[in-house]
Amino acid sequence: MVSDSARGGPRITAVLGPTNTGKTHYALDRMLGYRTGVIGLPLRLLAREVYDKLVALRGPNAVALVTGEERIVPERAQYWVATVEAMPLGLGADFVAIDEIQLCADPERGHVFTDRLLHMRGTQETLFMGSDTMRSAIAGLVPEVQFLYRERFSELVHSGSKKLSRMPGRSAIVGFSVDNLYAIAELMRRQKGGVAVVMGALSPRTRNAQVEMYQNGEVDYLIATDAIGMGLNLDIDHVAFSALSKFDGHRMRDLAPNELAQIAGRAGRYMKHGSFGVTGEAAPMTDAVAEAITSHSFTPIRKLCWRNGDLSFGNVQALIRSLEMSTTNSWLTRARDADDVVALKMLAEDAEVVARTTGGRSVGLLWDVCRLPDFRGISHAEHAGLITSLFSDIHQHGRVREDWFARQVKRIDRADGDIDTLSKRLAYIRTWTYVAQRRDWLDDVAHWRGETRAVEDRLSDALHSALTKRFVDRRTSVLLRRLKQKESLVADVNDKGEVTVEGQFVGRLNGFQFSQDSAQSPEEAKTLRAASLKALAPEFHLRADRFYNAPDTELDFTEQGGLMWGELAVGKLVKGDELLKPRVQAFVDEEAGTDVSEKVARRLQHFIDRKVQALFEPLTTIEKDETLTGLARGFGFRMIEALGIIPRDQVAQEVKDLDQDARSALRKHGVRFGQFTIFMPLLLKPAPTRLRLVLDSLFKDLSEFPESPPPGLVTIPVVDGVDRSAYMLAGYRPAGARAIRIDMLERLADQLRAEDSRGGFEAKADMLSITGMTLEQFADLMQGLGYNAEKAERVKVKAPAVEVDVKADGGTPEEVPAQTPAETPVQSPDEAPVETPAEVPVEQPGETPTEPPAEVPTETSVEGTEAPETEAFYTFTWRGFGRARGGKPRGEHAQGDRPRGKQGGKQSGKPGGKPGSKPARGGPRKGPRDNKPKSYQSGPRKEKAIDPDNPFAALLALKEKN
């Protein structure tokens, strides 16, 4: 570093680095070492803060404050504190400092900072403070500059996303929309007792009053705009962004990492560490942006906004041309038109204004008036209208008319209204406060400075009161402070989970979630909730320990995937990576803490893992069986994927490819190769069925899960709109208007196999008994299974009365399930034995069914001669034998589902064999067709040897024996 004497001139230093490096403090310390000095700051609020600090050190007579709206200049002022735009030029001060020099790149104000960088100098020392992104630009524009880099005093860490309800104390929540900030402030008032509000549009008086509430602990949270990013020193531990984009006056744009860092850096002052993150609806911050902020690594600034300062005042058009002049400097780019240039161009189209600007003096006056800031934020046209009125008044009368000015101030001097109304009045008074600072515009400047300042103070106090009333619950904040100081209210939780504060019921602890009583007023509710949660902290841990040690018998899952601890909902199942490995989501209040939440989640995961293992043990056994190889192993995994139930027509070829050894190996695991379904009987029990439906629904991301049918029903109705696959998962096969349980369907198939499906057959009593249906319902079921059902009538044959075992309540097969202990046991929740034809004898036609078939005649008394009584009957034929005889069209079931009847051999589903071959036994012969009725019956045929591994071997052997 070169010394001052070696250079022989004033020293120029750029002090660069991240936030919280003490740059501003360093500049003030350097300035006080000189006789005179001036420091330019980016905000009026910050200027006022620095002014107050210097007044405390050197007294009010030594320090001046100059901003657009405020001017305090003692006669013997040594040190000047100003906004960058209001810095006094030509002062000749020993020391000059410009803070936040990186604002040279700001599209709105950058040209002012760039002008100060290029031309503002102290006679002995000049200091530029700001971000290290300006290093290259400063070096390129100010070759004689020396650089001083300062490290941050404390660490700044990224803490991710936090909900507002979990926001730690001493936090600042930053947003870029007033509506958004007010909404957050309202929410924080209800949840945390209140917030302080800091915005750039606030007057210093309002801002200081709000900050004082925060600093003294009356409220623990700060809601702010990016105004806090410009050097305001507050006691902030955490900064949370409620948005990562803002409207810059022209468009919505994302904030650059260096802009976010400027705000996030307000967290952690001096040696105290700070953190930052997002909250509310803000998208998560990317890792790259977070890393750039924590490491203070940003893209260097390559272009500074610039506007020509050598202006021509010959006429309005000449002034506009000089303002639009470009630069050839590679570091500079012409700034877009600011509000003053926009206003000048609009006034240049006003004939009266042009007529008044006849010389350099009048053009200069017009330019001065155009530079009046648009504090009100109104449209360009309205702002231009105000400027026209001021210019015309000054040009015509030499001063702003005092009566007109007084009327404007009086209109604003009202302290009533809501926050928005008061904010607008404050913006308006700032305009007249700015005018009151101009000695060349207004007579009796001292008087009007005092008047406008008094109005601003009254409005500021009213706005502070309105903000406090709206966003701070005084009673609640006091109570919360008592809680913080361990002067807590008395709260208690009884064994029923009822929570009381000072003996009053305030809510109930349901599982691990606190439900507050809605009878409280909003103000009371918030405070009482805070007290309740304080009492609940140990209760959460005790309850979590009891839950973790509870046996599995106390836990259960619902058919919609909920997880219950007795009658308490404690979580839900969510989709896992694999079908048989669901995950859990615990229902735990955030206030309970991560330890409680993780413990509950672990216990729930253990429960569901064991439940899946126990209920689907046959499937897990297949998966672990290393002796299964080749096609058998592949088919075993198909069973696992289908959760133990596969319609046979979906795997017909795969089943055909399995040899007897493979089938035998699978049968050892409980796989049954039925005629209609391949299934595992053990998995048809109610408990596995219920879990199977839940697991499948989770994996398919269904919003509503199908529920399992009541246990013990042989058939259930087919409901329109329900996916047919849900019936199969529930263990039923849809056939017509009803779905039949797949194990009972296989029993029915065993009986149908003995019938003549070509010539036609009628329903037997035991068929109706198996299904528990009426004849009409059975006919519909058979058509759904692929049969034709031809209805006819005949004379009813008288039969002796039969005693029917009817239930005491008069139930009929249509009303109650058809199972009896002699047939299929009713499934209980824990056991549902499934009968197979190979294991249980099939009821023979000669046996009397437990429940009466629909066509069994009852005893009637006949008196005299009556017309013969008729009865309806159905003749069933397999639909594959040609055209239906009055039944429904061909069904949807595969040919492989067709029962093999007495026709002998494997039937192709066609009326006859190949052309030219022998007619099928019992079928029509070649030659002229006669119209005589024909009867068919199957003749003897050579039987194949019975496969001992065939599941129907026992049945076939019995039939052969008979």
Side-chain angles (χ1 to χ4, degrees):
M1 186 176 292
V2 183
S3 66
D4 296 348
S5 58
R7 286 189 173 273
R11 177 183 178 184
I12 303 177
T13 306
V15 183
L16 307 179
T19 55
N20 191 26
T21 58
K23 296 186 293 293
T24 305
H25 178 79
Y26 173 80
L28 296 179
D29 187 57
R30 294 290 299 175
M31 184 171 72
L32 293 177
Y34 292 97
R35 185 180 61 84
T36 59
V38 57
I39 182 170
L41 300 160
L43 293 177
R44 178 193 182 196
L45 295 176
L46 182 57
R48 184 75 197 204
E49 182 180 298
V50 171
Y51 168 78
D52 292 339
K53 186 179 295 185
L54 290 178
V55 166
L57 293 173
R58 294 299 175 94
N61 294 328
V63 186
L65 174 65
V66 181
T67 67
E69 308 97 287
E70 200 169 10
R71 186 179 179 87
I72 304 174
V73 184
E75 290 185 6
R76 298 183 179 181
Q78 294 177 270
Y79 306 107
W80 295 66
V81 180
T83 54
V84 173
E85 287 84 349
M87 290 180 74
L89 305 177
L91 192 64
D94 297 336
F95 176 87
V96 169
I98 312 293
D99 198 10
E100 306 295 354
I101 196 65
Q102 72 274 4
L103 287 179
C104 287
D106 182 73
E108 295 291 333
R109 307 169 62 199
H111 64 277
V112 179
F113 283 79
T114 300
D115 181 78
R116 303 296 183 262
L117 173 69
L118 295 175
H119 304 115
M120 196 79 177
R121 297 289 185 270
T123 59
Q124 296 189 43
E125 183 175 358
T126 302
L127 211 61
F128 304 122
M129 300 94 73
S131 170
D132 196 48
T133 57
M134 283 289 292
R135 178 183 290 269
S136 299
I138 295 175
L141 294 170
V142 188
E144 65 272 26
V145 70
Q146 303 175 48
F147 290 99
L148 177 62
Y149 184 82
R150 293 179 68 91
E151 296 285 350
R152 183 177 168 89
F153 290 132
S154 62
E155 292 183 8
L156 185 63
V157 297
H158 179 227
S159 61
S161 178
K162 292 182 184 294
K163 292 184 178 180
L164 290 172
S165 59
R166 298 291 302 275
M167 196 62 60
R170 314 312 294 167
S171 291
I173 302 169
V174 179
F176 308 100
S177 160
V178 173
D179 291 340
N180 174 252
L181 289 180
Y182 284 176
I184 293 175
E186 289 275 13
L187 182 61
M188 294 296 287
R189 176 183 182 273
R190 293 194 297 268
Q191 293 185 349
K192 302 293 185 180
V195 296
V197 179
V198 175
M199 297 183 290
L202 296 181
S203 66
R205 188 181 183 93
T206 305
R207 176 260 180 190
N208 290 342
Q210 288 287 302
V211 167
E212 184 179 358
M213 283 197 314
Y214 175 77
Q215 292 290 79
N216 66 21
E218 188 173 340
V219 295
D220 222 16
Y221 300 90
L222 190 69
I223 305 297
T225 63
D226 49 353
I228 66 167
M230 296 299 173
L232 297 179
N233 297 312
L234 301 171
D235 181 18
I236 299 172
D237 294 340
H238 178 75
V239 170
F241 292 92
S242 65
L244 299 178
S245 60
K246 73 173 184 176
F247 183 72
D248 63 2
H250 295 270
R251 61 184 176 85
M252 287 296 298
R253 67 174 181 85
D254 294 333
L255 274 76
N258 60 303
E259 294 175 301
L260 294 171
Q262 188 70 28
I263 302 168
R266 295 302 116 193
R269 302 310 301 162
Y270 194 47
M271 303 302 292
K272 190 174 183 180
H273 299 320
S275 61
F276 67 95
V278 297
T279 189
E281 298 180 358
M285 196 174 292
T286 64
D287 293 340
V289 171
E291 173 62 24
I293 294 173
T294 55
S295 63
H296 318 298
S297 303
F298 310 108
T299 303
I301 295 175
R302 299 297 183 188
K303 291 287 185 181
L304 308 185
C305 294
W306 172 88
R307 188 169 78 183
N308 180 31
D310 186 13
L311 304 180
S312 173
F313 295 100
N315 55 55
V316 176
Q317 294 303 323
L319 175 60
I320 293 174
R321 284 194 298 271
S322 63
L323 286 167
E324 292 180 339
M325 186 178 296
S326 300
T327 177
T328 57
N329 192 310
S330 61
W331 285 105
L332 305 177
T333 182
R334 191 174 80 84
R336 68 190 184 195
D337 289 349
D339 289 342
D340 50 6
V341 176
V342 172
L344 177 64
K345 289 182 177 180
M346 294 185 73
L347 267 64
E349 298 177 359
D350 188 319
E352 182 180 346
V353 172
V354 173
R356 291 181 181 276
T357 53
T358 57
R361 183 175 180 181
S362 58
V363 174
L365 174 62
L366 177 63
W367 177 235
D368 279 348
V369 178
C370 285
R371 294 171 69 186
L372 172 68
D374 184 11
F375 295 115
R376 299 178 297 172
I378 55 180
S379 68
H380 289 304
E382 288 184 275
H383 186 58
L386 173 62
I387 291 175
T388 301
S389 298
L390 283 172
F391 172 71
S392 299
D393 220 24
I394 299 172
H395 185 271
Q396 183 174 348
H397 303 287
R399 289 288 188 273
V400 175
R401 286 173 296 156
E402 191 168 296
D403 58 339
W404 178 82
F405 188 83
R407 286 197 302 272
Q408 307 308 314
V409 175
K410 186 176 181 179
R411 286 171 55 193
I412 301 170
D413 190 11
R414 293 176 52 193
D416 59 323
D418 58 14
I419 292 175
D420 291 336
T421 301
L422 293 170
S423 297
K424 288 179 180 178
R425 289 179 190 154
L426 262 175
Y428 275 66
I429 197 62
R430 290 179 70 185
T431 299
W432 305 122
T433 304
Y434 182 93
V435 174
Q437 307 302 316
R438 299 296 300 259
R439 292 182 178 274
D440 51 342
W441 289 4
L442 197 63
D443 290 327
D444 198 359
V445 173
H447 167 74
W448 288 114
R449 282 179 182 171
E451 284 294 317
T452 54
R453 177 65 182 271
V455 173
E456 181 177 312
D457 287 348
R458 285 192 289 271
L459 290 172
S460 297
D461 292 343
L463 180 58
H464 169 67
S465 177
L467 289 170
T468 303
K469 184 177 180 180
R470 180 172 174 181
F471 300 128
V472 178
D473 179 359
R474 292 281 189 185
R475 176 176 174 272
T476 302
S477 63
V478 170
L479 292 174
L480 288 178
R481 199 157 60 243
R482 283 179 56 195
L483 292 175
K484 186 177 179 181
Q485 297 168 358
K486 304 195 183 300
E487 298 176 8
S488 58
L489 304 175
V490 179
D492 186 39
V493 183
N494 64 18
D495 56 356
K496 296 180 181 179
E498 296 174 340
V499 183
T500 57
V501 174
E502 298 290 344
Q504 299 296 315
F505 175 75
V506 296
R508 187 181 302 275
L509 188 60
N510 296 316
F512 297 93
Q513 293 181 308
F514 176 59
S515 299
Q516 189 165 345
D517 181 25
S518 58
Q520 307 292 342
S521 68
E523 291 77 11
E524 293 173 328
K526 185 160 33 56
T527 305
L528 294 177
R529 179 175 177 83
S532 302
L533 291 173
K534 185 176 181 65
L536 288 174
E539 176 68 17
F540 277 128
H541 287 278
L542 290 173
R543 184 166 289 202
D545 290 339
R546 290 199 303 272
F547 175 69
Y548 196 82
N549 295 315
D552 280 357
T553 53
E554 294 184 10
L555 278 66
D556 198 6
F557 62 92
T558 69
E559 296 195 351
Q560 295 301 313
L563 293 170
M564 307 294 292
W565 181 23
E567 297 181 353
L568 303 174
V570 291
K572 69 176 182 179
L573 294 172
V574 295
K575 181 179 179 180
D577 297 330
E578 299 179 23
L579 183 60
L580 291 175
K581 294 182 180 179
R583 295 198 300 269
V584 301
Q585 178 180 327
F587 295 159
V588 181
D589 264 343
E590 293 180 355
E591 291 83 354
T594 55
D595 290 344
V596 172
S597 180
E598 291 174 359
K599 180 174 287 189
V600 174
R602 282 199 307 272
R603 180 64 185 90
L604 290 174
Q605 192 67 57
H606 294 335
F607 162 72
I608 197 62
D609 288 345
R610 286 196 289 264
K611 182 65 71 174
V612 170
Q613 174 66 29
L615 297 182
F616 291 101
E617 184 177 3
L619 295 180
T620 57
T621 304
I622 289 179
E623 187 177 18
K624 296 175 182 178
D625 188 355
E626 296 181 357
T627 62
L628 284 178
T629 58
L631 295 177
R633 186 167 186 80
F635 197 85
F637 277 96
R638 282 296 300 269
M639 294 296 295
I640 295 173
E641 292 171 356
L643 295 174
I645 300 176
I646 307 178
R648 183 157 182 155
D649 57 352
Q650 293 182 6
V651 290
Q653 186 58 46
E654 295 176 53
V655 174
K656 184 177 180 181
D657 293 340
L658 292 173
D659 58 22
Q660 292 301 322
D661 291 339
R663 296 192 187 194
S664 177
L666 291 168
R667 288 192 189 102
K668 292 178 182 178
H669 286 285
V671 178
R672 177 180 175 184
F673 292 88
Q675 185 166 299
F676 289 92
T677 316
I678 315 299
F679 64 100
M680 304 180 79
L682 288 176
L683 299 189
L684 296 184
K685 293 182 179 181
T689 297
R690 196 161 63 98
L691 183 56
R692 177 167 52 245
L693 287 166
V694 171
L695 295 180
D696 181 77
S697 300
L698 284 173
F699 214 68
K700 291 178 179 176
D701 295 318
L702 300 183
S703 58
E704 186 174 353
F705 299 178
E707 297 185 359
S708 60
L713 296 183
V714 176
T715 64
I716 57 175
V718 174
V719 181
D720 292 338
V722 177
D723 192 341
R724 298 180 72 84
S725 64
Y727 289 96
M728 187 59 66
L729 287 166
Y732 289 79
R733 180 188 179 102
R738 299 185 71 82
I740 183 170
R741 209 171 70 204
I742 58 178
D743 59 329
M744 301 305 291
L745 175 60
E746 296 303 332
R747 287 190 60 188
L748 177 62
D750 292 338
Q751 296 195 15
L752 295 178
R753 188 177 294 108
E755 301 296 335
D756 182 3
S757 58
R758 175 186 291 273
F761 63 93
E762 295 184 34
K764 302 298 189 295
D766 50 356
M767 295 180 187
L768 299 177
S769 178
I770 285 176
T771 60
M773 292 180 166
T774 65
L775 184 59
E776 294 288 342
Q777 291 175 327
F778 184 77
D780 180 70
L781 174 74
M782 293 292 285
Q783 291 181 91
L785 294 175
Y787 285 84
N788 295 319
E790 183 175 357
K791 186 175 182 180
E793 290 186 350
R794 64 189 174 195
V795 176
K796 187 173 183 180
V797 179
K798 301 295 183 180
V802 293
E803 293 183 2
V804 180
D805 183 12
V806 182
K807 293 183 179 290
D809 60 358
T812 65
E814 295 91 338
E815 300 168 342
V816 297
Q819 298 99 319
T820 68
E823 294 172 305
T824 304
V826 176
Q827 297 175 350
S828 66
D830 297 323
E831 58 181 31
V834 180
E835 299 175 355
T836 65
E839 298 164 348
V840 180
V842 179
E843 296 168 350
Q844 299 302 317
E847 297 177 353
T848 302
T850 304
E851 297 184 79
E855 69 268 33
V856 175
T858 57
E859 184 179 11
T860 60
S861 60
V862 180
E863 296 181 2
T865 303
E866 295 181 357
E869 188 176 355
T870 61
E871 65 178 354
F873 69 96
Y874 284 89
T875 302
F876 301 104
T877 57
W878 177 245
R879 202 169 292 164
F881 286 125
R883 187 171 180 178
R885 298 184 295 169
K888 292 184 180 180
R890 290 180 180 268
E892 62 189 25
H893 299 283
Q895 183 177 328
D897 288 346
R898 173 179 58 78
R900 292 190 290 272
K902 295 183 177 180
Q903 308 308 316
K906 293 183 180 180
Q907 297 181 0
S908 65
K910 297 180 181 180
K914 296 181 181 179
S917 63
K918 265 186 164 182
R921 184 178 291 115
R925 301 179 180 274
K926 291 184 179 180
R929 177 178 297 182
D930 55 29
N931 296 323
K932 297 179 180 179
K934 300 177 178 61
S935 61
Y936 305 95
Q937 69 178 33
S938 57
R941 61 186 175 88
K942 184 177 180 180
E943 299 289 347
K944 293 183 179 180
I946 299 175
D947 182 0
D949 291 326
N950 190 306
F952 310 119
L955 178 62
L956 294 174
L958 179 62
K959 290 169 61 179
E960 184 175 303
K961 179 179 179 181
N962 292 336

